[in-house]
């Protein structure tokens, strides 16, 4: 098969880029694979793709940022999508041209706005697969309305958790569209796993508010007070850096908590620790959780929707604590800090249990899905049987709620605009 991945910007840093490169690289062992990047802003990507993969951009911002068409707003890419401001009439045209001329058997979109392009513009000969790396409930009601109109034209929709797949089946009307959970994979580590002896807790990810590193730092204060020889190392960069730096100073943790900056890859940093921490309010999957577990670290995580609870077996290979509960987070960390045997035992369990996220099982599932979809397209049959009447009635109920939210949002925006004009 020829498989093409359509991604926002393959030259940046982020979980979707990492997982796309991982899956594409594994598939390239047996298939022709390309990654098509809607945008490009630098000469070389931060992550190095497998040399067998063709990487090509559609709009090069180094040369085309001031292109007349790029100064005009996009009309296909949905306005309610988070990245809308980075898209334009130029990206609309380039994406449409790519889809019109592709010879790929399967095209995989990797974010909602690109999935809309895929659903509306891909040729009938091409299997259209939309990946959702966020969750349905996290999308704005206006975006969900757009997706309800576009997504029925897909062949398949994959989510990173079973919980989100269930939400799409329950809340969206997608007759004939195959909805499956396809988790992210993490390559086999090249380093030996952590031995559990280091007095270091490791966290990694973008320094943004939803990750709640402030909560982690506050919770770690209790650890440092009891075990001052322990450290917390936070890897990543982002808008919260300065605020977190001030918090560390205010709590007097400058000898225990360190903002390490971004590390690519993270593998060598995980093995320097013996516990990993993830404290998000929201996590559609939890790539860093799997990365840490695959290197033998038990993970203390908030039980946020949807990913952590599907990855961590609470009390066996990690701990799940309520979202936003600083005291519970401190207690879970201290329980592992105090008990060397438990920490090492849970680390070994994490190493074993995380094998299900190795490339082999995940790629095999993806290959089977793509092959089934290609066969269904060739035979002229739908990818999935249509849903029943009762499910359609449920879906209509959720669609109606989103419609109400959209109308109310429009009214509020109109009122605010009117008040500004009056002033």
């Amino acid at each position: 098969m020829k498989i093409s991945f359509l991604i926002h910007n393959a030259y940046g840093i982020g979980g979707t880029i990492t997982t796309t490169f991982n899956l594409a690289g594994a598939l390239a062992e047996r298939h022709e694979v390309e990654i098509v990047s809607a945008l490009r802003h630098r000469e070389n990507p931060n992550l190095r793709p497998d040399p067998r993969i063709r990487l090509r951009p559609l709009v090069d911002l180094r040369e085309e940022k001031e292109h007349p068409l790029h100064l005009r707003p996009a009309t296909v890419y949905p306005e309610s999508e988070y990245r809308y401001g980075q898209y334009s009439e130029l990206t609309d045209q380039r994406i449409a041209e790519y889809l019109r001329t592709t010879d790929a058997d399967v095209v995989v979109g990797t974010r909602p706005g690109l999935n809309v392009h895929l659903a509306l513009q891909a040729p009938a000969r091409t299997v259209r697969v939309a990946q959702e790396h966020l969750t349905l409930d996290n999308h704005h009601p206006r975006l969900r309305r757009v997706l309800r109109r576009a997504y029925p034209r897909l062949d398949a929709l994959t989510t990173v958790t079973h919980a989100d797949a269930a939400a799409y089946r329950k809340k969206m009307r997608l007759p004939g569209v195959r909805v499956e959970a396809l988790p992210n994979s993490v390559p086999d580590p090249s380093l030996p796993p952590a031995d559990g002896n280091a007095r270091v807790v490791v966290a990694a990810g973008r320094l943004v508010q939803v990750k709640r590193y402030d909560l982690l730092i506050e919770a770690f204060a209790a650890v440092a007070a009891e075990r001052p020889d322990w450290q917390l190392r936070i890897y990543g960069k982002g808008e919260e850096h300065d605020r977190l730096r001030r918090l560390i100073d205010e709590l007097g943790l400058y000898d225990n908590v360190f903002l390490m900056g971004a590390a690519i890859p993270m593998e060598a940093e995980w093995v320097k620790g013996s516990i990993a921490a993830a404290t998000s309010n929201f996590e559609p999957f939890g790539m860093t959780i799997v990365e840490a577990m695959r290197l033998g670290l038990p993970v203390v995580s908030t039980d946020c929707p949807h990913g952590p609870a599907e990855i961590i077996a609470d009390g066996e290979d990690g701990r799940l604590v309520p979202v936003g509960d600083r005291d519970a987070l401190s207690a879970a960390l201290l329980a592992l800090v105090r008990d060397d045997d438990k920490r090492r035992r849970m680390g070994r369990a994490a190493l074993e249990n995380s094998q299900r996220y190795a490339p082999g099982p995940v790629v095999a599932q993806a290959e089977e899905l793509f092959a089934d979809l290609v066969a269904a397209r060739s035979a002229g049959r739908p990818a999935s049987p249509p849903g029943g009447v009762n499910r359609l009635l449920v879906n209509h109920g959720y669609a109606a709620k989103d419609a109400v939210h959209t109308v109310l949002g429009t009214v509020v925006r109109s009122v605010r605009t009117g008040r500004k004009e009056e002033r």
Side-chain angles (χ1 to χ4, degrees):
M1 287 182 288
K2 180 173 182 180
I3 303 164
S4 180
F5 290 87
L6 177 59
I7 194 169
H8 166 63
N9 189 340
Y11 296 81
I13 300 174
T16 299
I17 300 168
T18 302
T19 57
T20 299
F21 278 36
N22 288 347
L23 179 57
L27 288 169
E29 293 184 8
R30 289 182 292 277
H31 305 280
E32 183 182 352
V33 180
E34 68 173 355
I35 295 176
V36 177
S37 182
L39 300 174
R40 177 183 189 173
H41 70 291
R42 55 182 293 165
E43 179 66 24
N44 297 309
N46 281 288
L47 300 177
R48 183 176 298 176
D50 187 291
R52 294 167 295 189
I53 296 171
R54 180 190 181 196
L55 173 62
R56 62 184 179 110
L58 299 180
V59 174
D60 192 331
L61 296 176
R62 298 172 302 166
E63 303 171 359
E64 299 180 295
K65 189 174 183 179
E66 300 301 323
H67 191 292
L69 293 182
H70 195 57
L71 302 177
R72 300 178 186 174
T75 57
V76 179
Y77 200 94
E79 186 177 356
S80 49
E81 217 261 37
Y82 170 70
R83 295 285 186 183
Y84 174 74
Q86 295 175 256
Y87 286 78
S88 65
E89 188 174 329
L90 182 62
T91 58
D92 277 355
Q93 287 189 9
R94 297 280 174 83
I95 295 170
E97 177 67 11
Y98 147 68
L99 291 171
R100 185 182 65 81
T101 59
T102 185
D103 60 349
D105 300 296
V106 179
V107 177
V108 183
T110 57
R111 64 175 304 111
L114 297 176
N115 295 340
V116 169
H117 273 280
L118 177 61
L120 300 179
Q121 297 174 328
R125 65 181 181 276
T126 302
V127 168
R128 293 157 288 186
V129 179
Q131 288 183 345
E132 280 284 358
H133 291 273
L134 292 176
T135 67
L136 177 62
D137 291 340
N138 190 243
H139 292 327
H140 192 280
R142 285 189 294 131
L143 179 57
R144 290 198 294 260
R145 292 194 74 196
V146 174
L147 301 185
R148 281 192 175 90
R149 293 193 295 269
Y151 276 15
R153 301 180 64 171
L154 297 168
D155 294 286
L157 170 69
T158 67
T159 62
V160 290
T161 63
H162 291 282
D164 199 38
Y168 271 94
R169 295 188 193 105
K170 180 179 181 181
K171 299 179 180 182
M172 298 281 276
R173 186 154 57 101
L174 302 173
V177 179
R178 187 163 167 178
V179 180
E180 282 196 12
L182 181 67
N184 295 328
S185 69
V186 172
D188 297 327
S190 61
L191 297 175
D195 59 16
N197 292 324
R199 293 176 171 83
V200 177
V201 177
V202 181
R206 292 177 299 121
L207 304 186
V208 293
Q209 189 172 2
V210 71
K211 298 294 186 180
R212 291 307 309 272
Y213 290 119
D214 58 334
L215 181 75
L216 176 57
I217 292 167
E218 291 171 355
F220 193 78
V223 177
E226 181 178 317
R227 300 293 179 97
D229 55 337
W230 276 74
Q231 294 182 358
L232 169 62
R233 299 177 184 174
I234 300 174
Y235 292 85
K237 60 183 180 179
E239 62 199 40
E240 288 279 285
H241 179 276
D242 292 347
R243 189 173 79 89
L244 296 175
R245 178 74 266 166
R246 289 194 298 271
L247 178 61
I248 292 168
D249 292 341
E250 289 168 6
L251 296 175
L253 295 173
Y254 29 77
D255 291 330
N256 298 92
V257 180
F258 302 94
L259 302 179
M260 306 294 292
I264 303 173
M266 264 296 294
E267 192 173 87
E269 309 309 319
W270 289 122
V271 297
K272 294 174 185 175
S274 59
I275 303 170
T279 50
S280 296
N281 287 340
F282 161 78
E283 195 69 71
F285 180 67
M287 194 68 175
T288 58
I289 295 175
V290 178
E291 288 178 355
M293 291 175 68
R294 293 219 67 200
L295 285 160
L297 274 68
V299 182
V300 177
S301 173
T302 48
D303 189 10
C304 61
H306 287 294
E310 291 194 11
I311 301 171
I312 297 169
D314 188 28
E316 180 181 335
D317 53 25
R319 289 298 314 277
L320 295 169
V321 300
V323 174
D325 192 329
R326 181 189 61 196
D327 293 339
L329 181 60
S330 293
L333 289 170
L334 277 168
L336 292 179
V337 166
R338 292 167 179 160
D339 193 330
D340 294 345
D341 290 338
K342 176 187 285 187
R343 187 171 67 247
R344 295 190 189 102
R345 184 173 64 252
M346 292 180 74
R348 290 191 296 270
L351 187 64
E352 181 178 349
N353 293 347
S354 62
Q355 290 294 320
R356 67 191 189 275
Y357 297 108
V362 176
V363 172
Q365 183 183 347
E367 283 183 313
E368 182 179 0
L369 172 63
F370 296 164
D372 286 351
L373 294 171
V374 170
R377 174 57 56 89
S378 299
R381 54 181 170 80
S384 178
V389 173
N390 290 338
R391 197 168 80 185
L392 294 182
L393 291 174
V394 171
N395 293 332
H396 276 307
Y398 285 102
K401 290 179 183 178
D402 285 345
V404 170
H405 281 294
T406 301
V407 171
L408 290 175
T410 302
V411 171
V412 169
R413 287 193 299 275
S414 298
V415 170
R416 288 174 178 169
T417 301
R419 286 175 178 172
K420 287 180 182 178
E421 291 176 351
E422 289 174 2
R423 292 177 190 147

